[in-house]
Amino acid sequence: MNEEEILQLYGLDPDTKHRERIRKLLQQEIENQEAVDHEYLKTLCIMLFCIGNVEDTGLIWQAKRKNQDTGSYIDVQLLCGAGYEKTVTYLEQNPDDSAGEQLNYLRQCELYDFVDFSKEEWVSNYKQYYKLP
């Protein structure tokens, strides 16, 4: 599957009933070491961002940390589909080491990447990027 097919299937802002399927596809793509084009991976992350479940931040973090290219390609804002503050609170309460790493990363990015953060604006920009109505 590619980004065009997944967008046709679920749309950029999918119904929450598709969340588990999208999570599964993202996990498979994270594990796919053969992938060289990361547009599909990014699209799946954007879809989870749009759904906005704070628990998906860890999976999106894994995608961002897959390799150096995805680290740059996956926007830090995608970690905060539930909102910056809600994500930080969630990570503070999570004892997992990767949650601590992600929390530190978000705090380092806060002053630069989350000034006037608006999920609606990011979704609108992604719709323009994919040339969607």
Side-chain angles (χ1 to χ4, degrees):
M1 198 172 298
N2 64 33
E3 68 275 3
E4 292 168 0
E5 293 168 330
I6 198 74
L7 286 170
Q8 284 181 344
L9 192 57
Y10 299 119
L12 186 66
D13 190 359
D15 189 295
T16 57
K17 69 183 179 184
H18 301 298
R19 178 176 167 254
E20 286 306 317
R21 176 70 178 135
I22 294 166
R23 284 179 53 83
K24 185 179 222 178
L25 291 170
L26 180 55
Q27 186 65 52
Q28 289 171 351
E29 192 62 14
I30 291 168
E31 294 168 2
N32 179 3
Q33 297 304 316
E34 307 288 314
V36 291
D37 176 16
H38 301 299
E39 191 64 33
Y40 177 61
L41 179 88
K42 181 177 181 171
T43 304
L44 292 166
C45 291
I46 294 168
M47 295 168 96
L48 289 177
F49 169 80
C50 289
I51 290 172
N53 189 317
V54 73
E55 294 170 356
D56 292 333
T57 190
L59 188 58
I60 296 168
W61 177 249
Q62 287 177 31
K64 185 166 181 57
R65 290 303 197 211
K66 178 179 177 178
N67 59 44
Q68 187 173 352
D69 290 338
T70 61
S72 300
Y73 203 66
I74 306 296
D75 299 312
V76 65
Q77 291 82 357
L78 293 178
L79 298 168
C80 298
Y84 179 82
E85 291 299 327
K86 189 172 182 178
T87 302
V88 166
T89 300
Y90 172 78
L91 293 170
E92 287 172 337
Q93 296 170 355
N94 189 329
D96 188 34
D97 286 344
S98 67
E101 292 171 16
Q102 183 182 342
L103 180 60
N104 289 336
Y105 184 80
L106 282 175
R107 286 186 172 147
Q108 290 172 5
C109 295
E110 181 179 10
L111 295 175
Y112 305 100
D113 297 304
F114 290 96
V115 175
D116 299 324
F117 173 69
S118 164
K119 179 179 176 179
E120 293 76 21
E121 186 176 323
W122 278 88
V123 171
S124 176
N125 290 339
Y126 286 126
K127 285 182 178 179
Q128 288 177 21
Y129 176 77
Y130 289 109
K131 297 175 179 59
L132 300 171

